[in-house]
Amino acid sequence: MNYMELEYPSCPLCHSENRRYAYSRFETYKVVGCCSCGFYYLYPRLTETAMFKLYADDSYFEGDHAGYTSYSGQEVALRTTFQRLMINLKKNKLTGGSLLEIGCGYGYLLDEARKFFTVRVGTDFSERATKLAASKADFIYCGGIEQVPIQEKFDLIIATHVIEHVYQPQAFVKEILKHLKPGGSVVIATPDMGSFWRYLMAHKWPSFKLPEHVLYFDKRSLSVLMKQAGLANVKPLPYPHAFPLPLVTAKLGVKLPSRLSKFNLWMPATTLALYGKFYA
Ligand SMILES: [Zn+2]
């Protein structure tokens, strides 16, 4: 670790400098709670420039040191998760028009969205990911939402497992709103800091993924963020998440008989998802 690359941020939601250590047994980075608004965030954290260098490294998706432990190895579980998500979006009348996904990875969600949306567009910072996602969507932009031309507006914008990586969350949600049609909706999904798993597993909670996860939302803080940005009718969206059984047993430290290694497990209360509407 090059200590020149660390920064010591104020609360990313309310900008208070008052904080207390919540999870301090990690080596370099600590998870702190804001004494003013209760939000949890990483302190210190890598500078955004240093973090972008890490994401630009292709081994982020396939390496085992940081990022995802073989993202493509989770393809079946992710596709199963996104099939269920599409059904839940449809039940809440969020399907049917144009879809933009921020941080689309290899494009599994966009591919599963084929039957549910007329236009499907994605963005991702990883060049390798955008190449793999290209065949699964109508268009993929390499980079963040700022790469999407301002005249392109969508009925639904989804950011799943993205906001926990974002350095300036308020600016990020406002940027999303610029790309919504009037009456359009936004879905934001992120690991649930309010989940019993966090209390149960403490420092071993898998969503304490350092140094990439810089923000830790629960239902209350995510709802505040979305409403402050200008979204209305902010409500929870059911978001059950399937994981490969070998991944789950490894995290729990349980030995798995090899004949069970192909199974997926629906894990309750791992992902928090909220959606809100935008009336321009
Ligand atoms: Zn705060």
Side-chain angles (χ1 to χ4, degrees):
M1 176 46 50
N2 177 357
Y3 286 90
M4 296 297 283
E5 296 186 331
L6 292 179
E7 64 179 22
Y8 295 80
S10 60
C11 171
L13 284 197
C14 79
H15 312 291
S16 164
E17 289 289 355
N18 297 315
R19 62 188 72 83
R20 59 178 179 80
Y21 286 110
Y23 294 92
S24 58
R25 285 196 276 120
F26 303 114
E27 207 171 307
T28 305
Y29 313 98
K30 315 288 177 200
V31 175
V32 297
C34 172
C35 297
S36 304
C37 75
F39 185 61
Y40 291 95
Y41 60 100
L42 205 61
Y43 181 95
R45 63 185 185 185
L46 274 185
T47 62
E48 202 167 15
T49 315
M51 189 68 87
F52 276 131
K53 271 189 231 158
L54 185 69
Y55 291 144
D57 184 348
D58 281 343
S59 64
Y60 178 71
F61 279 99
E62 293 296 339
D64 52 9
H65 57 287
Y68 294 86
T69 305
S70 184
Y71 185 74
S72 54
Q74 295 189 47
E75 177 169 355
V76 177
L78 286 168
R79 283 185 179 275
T80 308
T81 301
F82 298 141
Q83 285 159 12
R84 186 75 67 91
L85 173 64
M86 288 304 139
I87 292 164
N88 286 326
L89 290 175
K90 193 173 179 187
K91 276 185 191 162
N92 288 282
K93 302 184 168 52
L94 295 168
T95 52
S98 51
L99 169 68
L100 173 65
E101 186 191 8
I102 313 290
C104 65
Y106 289 180
Y108 302 143
L109 184 152
L110 289 168
D111 205 20
E112 297 301 333
R114 207 173 283 268
K115 281 184 283 179
F116 296 86
F117 293 88
T118 51
V119 176
R120 295 161 300 121
V121 176
T123 72
D124 205 280
F125 279 106
S126 154
E127 207 171 306
R128 176 189 157 85
T130 50
K131 279 181 191 151
L132 286 160
S135 63
K136 301 187 184 76
D138 295 300
F139 201 82
I140 305 286
Y141 293 97
C142 189
I145 189 162
E146 70 286 345
Q147 296 301 317
V148 182
I150 196 67
Q151 66 275 16
E152 282 195 31
K153 313 276 185 194
F154 298 85
D155 294 297
L156 181 66
I157 300 180
I158 295 185
T160 169
H161 294 91
V162 167
I163 192 96
E164 64 272 21
H165 299 255
V166 169
Y167 275 59
Q168 284 152 338
Q170 287 148 332
F172 174 76
V173 181
K174 284 196 179 130
E175 200 59 36
I176 287 181
L177 298 198
K178 289 185 193 165
H179 289 278
L180 274 184
K181 291 182 187 170
S185 300
V186 178
V187 173
I188 298 179
T190 185
D192 187 359
M193 188 65 173
S195 156
F196 65 85
W197 290 110
R198 193 258 296 183
Y199 297 99
L200 201 64
M201 300 182 80
H203 283 78
K204 288 185 175 159
W205 188 46
S207 294
F208 286 137
K209 205 191 277 176
L210 313 184
E212 309 100 283
H213 288 186
V214 295
L215 308 180
Y216 295 91
F217 287 94
D218 57 17
K219 193 174 157 188
R220 189 190 59 85
S221 52
L222 185 58
S223 166
V224 166
L225 174 75
M226 291 171 75
K227 285 177 188 166
Q228 277 177 352
L231 288 160
N233 301 337
V234 175
K235 283 185 248 181
L237 180 76
Y239 197 117
H241 205 307
F243 293 91
L245 194 52
L247 188 73
V248 176
T249 51
K251 297 275 185 206
L252 296 173
V254 178
K255 199 172 180 302
L256 182 74
S258 59
R259 67 180 192 283
L260 298 180
S261 65
K262 274 193 222 151
F263 285 85
N264 287 316
L265 192 65
W266 289 101
M267 298 287 285
T270 58
T271 305
L272 162 74
L274 299 180
Y275 71 102
K277 250 190 194 323
F278 176 58
Y279 300 103

